[in-house]
Amino acid sequence: MSTVNDFGKNKAFLIDMTKCTGCRGCQVACKQWNQLEAENTEFFSGEGYENPPAMSEFTFTRIKFRDYERNGQSEFAFYKEMCMHCNDAACVSVCPVAAFVKTPEGPVIYKTKTCIGCRFCMIACPFGVPKYEWSKAFPLVRKCTGCYSRVKEGLKPACVTTCPTAITYGPREEMIKEAERRLSAYPDRYLPKVYGKDEAGGTCVIYLTALPFDELGFKPVTMRALPSYTWQALRLVPGIFIGVGATLSAISWFQHRKERVQNEQAGMLSAMFQHPREQESQAQEDQTSQDVKEDQRS
C-alpha cells in the first residue's frame, strides 16, 4: 500500500474547459510525440462529434463533445479525456510486477518490459484509462504517460505545448490556486468546483467547467484514494486462485476417473463377446507389439 506524500510540487494540468475550442490540436500532438498509429474512424460512430469514438491503444487523449441548449441556443462544451495521473494511483497499487510507477515529477508511467498484461490496472482505474493492445498476439497495457520523457528534461507535455487556449501546466499546488482564483474572479463563468483537487484522493489533472461534470460524461468517483479499496479486494486474490485451482483439479480428476472406468468396462465387454479366433488373433498382435518394443529398447 502507498504511503502519505506531499504531491503539491508534482507537475499538474489545469484544463479550463470554458476556454477549449475543440480544435483537437492536443490529440494530434499526442499522436505525433508518442508515434501512435492512426485509426480508421468515422463521425457519429460514438457519442457525437467525437473522432476517434474512444481512447484505445493508439489514442491516449481525445476531445469529447457535449451539445446542450442555453437560453434557447445550441452550444457545445468540450472535455479533454486523458490519464488523471492520480496522486495515489490505483493502477500502481494493484500491479503485481510493479510495471506502473508514480514518478516524483507527477506522471504515472508504466514499464513495457515489465508488464505481463494481467489487466489488473484496467479493473482498478476509476477513470477507465488503461487500454489493452487487442491488435497484438501478445498484448500489454498502454496509456498516457504525461510525456514523462519530456517532463523529466524540463519540458512541458506535447498536448500542453500545442493547446492555444485551455491548458496550463505547473506545480499542482499552483494550479489549484489558479483554479480557485478563476472561480472567485468569474463566479458566473464556472461551476463552483475544482475537479481533481480531491477526487480519487487527488489527481494531477484538474478541470474547470461551466456544466455539471456528470453531464459532461465524468464518472462518479470517491474522494478517498483508491489503493485503500483495491488492496482490501486484491489481498484475497491469492486465496481465490488457490481455491479455484484446487476445485478445478478435483473436477478434472473425477472426470478422467469416469472415462477410465468406462474404457475398462468397454474392454471387458468386448473381450467377453469376441470370437475365439479373433481373441487368438488379438493375442498374436499384442505379442508382436510387445516384441517390437523390446527390440527398440535393446
Side-chain angles (χ1 to χ4, degrees), residues 33-75:
W33 178 257
N34 292 290
Q35 299 182 359
L36 300 173
E37 293 182 19
E39 296 180 83
N40 293 323
T41 60
E42 57 182 330
F43 275 122
F44 302 110
S45 59
E47 300 175 3
Y49 293 97
E50 299 171 5
N51 195 8
M55 291 205 297
S56 70
E57 61 184 292
F58 304 119
T59 300
F60 293 171
T61 188
R62 69 177 187 128
I63 296 295
K64 297 185 70 173
F65 281 59
R66 168 81 166 86
D67 54 337
Y68 64 100
E69 286 191 5
R70 175 179 289 178
N71 300 324
Q73 301 291 323
S74 296
E75 296 189 12

Side-chain angles (χ1 to χ4, degrees), residues 21-296:
T21 61
C23 70
R24 298 194 186 95
C26 55
Q27 289 185 196
V28 176
C30 179
K31 286 267 189 185
Q32 186 178 38
W33 178 257
N34 292 290
Q35 299 182 359
L36 300 173
E37 293 182 19
E39 296 180 83
N40 293 323
T41 60
E42 57 182 330
F43 275 122
F44 302 110
S45 59
E47 300 175 3
Y49 293 97
E50 299 171 5
N51 195 8
M55 291 205 297
S56 70
E57 61 184 292
F58 304 119
T59 300
F60 293 171
T61 188
R62 69 177 187 128
I63 296 295
K64 297 185 70 173
F65 281 59
R66 168 81 166 86
D67 54 337
Y68 64 100
E69 286 191 5
R70 175 179 289 178
N71 300 324
Q73 301 291 323
S74 296
E75 296 189 12
F76 285 111
F78 308 106
Y79 156 35
K80 183 181 186 301
E81 189 178 26
M82 60 180 292
C83 175
M84 298 295 284
H85 299 284
C86 302
N87 292 343
D88 203 353
C91 58
V92 174
S93 72
V94 301
C95 184
V97 294
F100 280 74
V101 177
K102 175 68 175 179
T103 65
E105 294 84 355
V108 175
I109 62 172
Y110 61 95
K111 303 172 184 175
T112 54
K113 293 182 178 179
T114 306
C115 178
I116 57 175
C118 68
R119 292 185 286 173
F120 278 7
C121 54
M122 296 172 63
I123 299 171
C125 178
F127 304 102
V129 169
K131 301 302 178 188
Y132 212 43
E133 293 179 311
W134 296 108
S135 64
K136 295 186 177 180
F138 300 100
L140 302 177
V141 171
R142 303 201 72 188
K143 75 168 193 71
C144 161
T145 62
C147 286
Y148 182 60
S149 60
R150 294 173 59 91
V151 172
K152 68 181 180 181
E153 297 297 330
L155 301 174
K156 295 180 180 179
C159 61
V160 176
T161 59
T162 196
C163 179
T165 55
I167 307 177
T168 309
Y169 192 74
R172 184 172 184 271
E173 57 187 8
E174 293 184 15
M175 295 299 99
I176 291 176
K177 287 181 180 178
E178 173 60 18
E180 293 174 338
R181 185 195 68 77
R182 295 184 192 181
L183 292 184
S184 177
Y186 308 101
D188 297 334
R189 180 185 301 175
Y190 299 103
L191 191 77
K193 180 175 179 58
V194 178
Y195 189 96
K197 180 180 180 180
D198 299 310
E199 278 71 15
T203 67
C204 284
V205 178
I206 297 161
Y207 291 101
L208 292 178
T209 178
L211 293 178
F213 287 93
D214 58 343
E215 291 187 14
L216 285 170
F218 281 66
K219 299 178 181 178
V221 297
T222 176
M223 298 296 117
R224 181 177 167 184
L226 272 297
S228 58
Y229 293 107
T230 53
W231 178 251
Q232 289 178 8
L234 290 176
R235 65 189 172 83
L236 303 175
V237 169
I240 293 172
F241 272 128
I242 293 173
V244 172
T247 302
L248 293 176
S249 298
I251 293 173
S252 177
W253 187 85
F254 278 111
Q255 287 180 335
H256 285 85
R257 179 180 179 277
K258 185 177 180 180
E259 292 176 0
R260 288 197 298 272
V261 171
Q262 290 176 340
N263 291 335
E264 290 175 1
Q265 290 176 341
M268 293 174 63
L269 290 173
S270 176
M272 289 173 62
F273 293 101
Q274 199 172 27
H275 191 278
R277 292 183 178 176
E278 292 179 349
Q279 291 179 359
E280 183 179 354
S281 176
Q282 183 65 45
Q284 289 177 349
E285 290 181 2
D286 293 341
Q287 183 61 44
T288 302
S289 177
Q290 185 66 26
D291 293 341
V292 170
K293 290 181 180 178
E294 290 180 357
D295 291 343
Q296 290 175 345

